[in-house]
Structure formats: structure tokens, C-alpha cells
Amino acid sequence: PVRSCRCSRAVLAVQERLMLSASALSFAVPSLRTSAAYAGSPSSVRFVSRTYTPFDPNEKAAYGMGAAEKFSYDPEHAYAYVATERGYISVIDYSAPVASVTSLGVSLGKGLTARDLRLCGESLYVVVGTIGKRTEPGALLAFSRVTRAAPASLAQVWEVGVGPGPDSLLPSPDCKTVAVSNQGKGQCTGGVVCQLIDPEGSVSLVDVATRSSKTVSLGNVAGSSDSALQAEGVHIPLPLNAMVYFDDFSNKKMD
């Protein structure tokens, strides 16, 4: 468990270094569709409109928490893609000052959640996992990009399996490889007595051309001591000694 815990922390460190884990809020700006360089510095942000994205259309839950977990914007076609915790991808039209949710979105299937999504080239990449089961393997999905000339609903092109508990993704600049960080977060099963399932954290490198995945183990990094990891610039919010103290003295250790 200690080694796996360090693996999870190492995966989080990889996310920080690659800037994989980030959530975004959108505000109205002077223009979302321009190729010209902006000469001045931003001076203010003015609120123009608010758009609500559906939380879980298939189960008719209307709106709720987790309705806009991840966001990716296409400046060429002025469409934004927004992922919900319940596995729905909304497509928002930003061609007009007042943005609107279109009917081009897609459900990923009951029981699936979108962990992250990024647009790269002509594809929208979405990494998915099973709701409430971060120890299970996930998948990377590729969808065709929505274009302004011929808008159509998101269509899945292919799917590739990735490691346990995928949490975020980052395509390479040439869009030929997609890196997926697999947190491998531990989970207790078995009722009152915890039966810990704690898979090793890893990174899946997906080759877009061959649609194949290669797993990179973080075992060597995870085997290092906290001090060695910190010397390498790894941010550890809960070092091993803090975890030991929590296990010994916290009245919430069984939560």
C-alpha cells in the first residue's frame, strides 16, 4: 500500500508538471474568433451572458453539481466542449455574443464519467472511467471534431483501453500521441474491514495512428523516499510521515 500510495502521488506530480489537471471557467471576452495578435494588455473582463449545461440528460436530472467539470475550446469553429461527471459531453456555440448549448452533444453511456477532454487537430479526445470505481481500467475515446460548415453531432471514431483510474490527458503538439495519467487511486472494499485495492499509478501513451496503448510504470519514481521526490521538485501534500500520523491519531481514519 505504501508503494502504491507513492505511485499515486507520483502520478499527481506528473499531472502538475504536464499541466494535465486543470479546470476552467469561461468569461466573455472581446472576441473568441480572431487570428490577429492582440497588441495591448487585458484591462478588464465584462460579464455578457450565462449558459447552463445539462448535467445528465439521459436520466433527466436537469442541472446539478459536476455539470461543467472539463472544458475545451475550438477557436477556429467557435465551439466549446464541456464534460459532466455523469458522462455527457455538451457542445456550446460561441459564434454569437450569447453562447447557447446545441443539440450536438453525446452521452458516453450509463455508468461512465468523463475525467478529461482535449481538442487536438481534427479530433476531440475524452478519457473516461467508471463512476465510483477508480481502481478499474479506463479508456481513451476519439470523436470527430464539430465543424462550422457542416455541424453534426459528436461521432465516436475509436476507443483504446488505458490504465486504472485515468484522471487526465494531454496530446502531443503534433497530435500523434496522447498521454493519459492513471491515478490508480486506492479503494476499500469488504464492508467494515477494509480490503484495500490500490493499483499502481502509471501513464498510458496512446499512438493515434496505430490506436495502440503503451503503459509507462512509475515504480522507480514511487520507490524513492519522500525527501528524494521533494528534491526532484515533486509536490507531496501528504508525505508519508503525515499519513502515518493520520492513521495513528485521527478520529476520521476509518471514514
Side-chain angles (χ1 to χ4, degrees):
V2 172
R3 178 182 172 121
S4 297
C5 180
R6 286 177 176 169
C7 270
S8 295
R9 296 203 301 271
V11 171
L12 293 175
V14 171
Q15 292 175 10
E16 289 182 357
R17 289 186 175 184
L18 297 180
M19 294 191 298
L20 291 176
S21 181
S23 56
L25 298 175
S26 60
F27 293 88
V29 295
S31 175
L32 288 174
R33 302 183 72 185
T34 178
S35 59
Y38 184 64
S41 299
S43 58
S44 63
V45 176
R46 181 173 59 89
F47 176 77
V48 174
S49 66
R50 177 184 288 111
T51 300
Y52 291 96
T53 59
F55 175 65
D56 190 359
N58 285 345
E59 297 183 3
K60 300 180 180 180
Y63 305 106
M65 296 180 64
E69 285 295 302
K70 297 295 181 178
F71 177 95
S72 185
Y73 181 68
D74 183 350
E76 180 180 350
H77 296 286
Y79 284 116
Y81 304 93
V82 181
T84 78
E85 286 185 336
R86 289 288 177 177
Y88 185 76
I89 308 297
S90 295
V91 181
I92 303 176
D93 187 350
Y94 272 95
S95 62
V98 179
S100 60
V101 177
T102 71
S103 60
L104 306 177
V106 65
S107 176
L108 301 175
K110 190 175 178 64
L112 295 180
T113 180
R115 300 294 184 194
D116 198 8
L117 80 169
R118 298 288 179 96
L119 181 71
C120 193
E122 297 302 315
S123 298
L124 175 71
Y125 298 105
V126 183
V127 64
V128 301
T130 304
I131 295 175
K133 297 181 179 179
R134 284 186 173 269
T135 60
E136 293 188 357
L140 177 68
L141 313 181
F143 292 85
S144 56
R145 181 188 193 185
V146 177
T147 62
R148 181 63 55 181
S153 297
L154 283 171
Q156 184 176 330
V157 180
W158 51 262
E159 175 180 337
V160 173
V162 295
D167 191 66
S168 49
L169 67 90
L170 183 66
S172 61
D174 59 8
C175 303
K176 293 182 178 180
T177 303
V178 180
V180 177
S181 64
N182 306 306
Q183 189 175 6
K185 187 175 182 179
Q187 188 172 15
C188 280
T189 61
V192 178
V193 179
C194 172
Q195 302 294 326
L196 180 63
I197 301 175
D198 194 4
E200 181 182 85
S202 62
V203 174
S204 295
L205 299 178
V206 178
D207 187 309
V208 173
T210 62
R211 300 175 186 178
S212 59
S213 176
K214 177 181 179 181
T215 299
V216 179
S217 173
L218 299 176
N220 291 335
V221 176
S224 301
S225 65
D226 284 351
S227 58
L229 291 172
Q230 290 169 331
E232 291 292 328
V234 177
H235 173 61
I236 304 178
L238 285 175
L240 180 59
N241 287 340
M243 299 290 287
V244 172
Y245 185 88
F246 179 87
D247 289 342
D248 288 342
F249 298 104
S250 175
N251 59 4
K252 297 183 178 181
K253 61 183 179 182
M254 297 303 295
D255 288 355

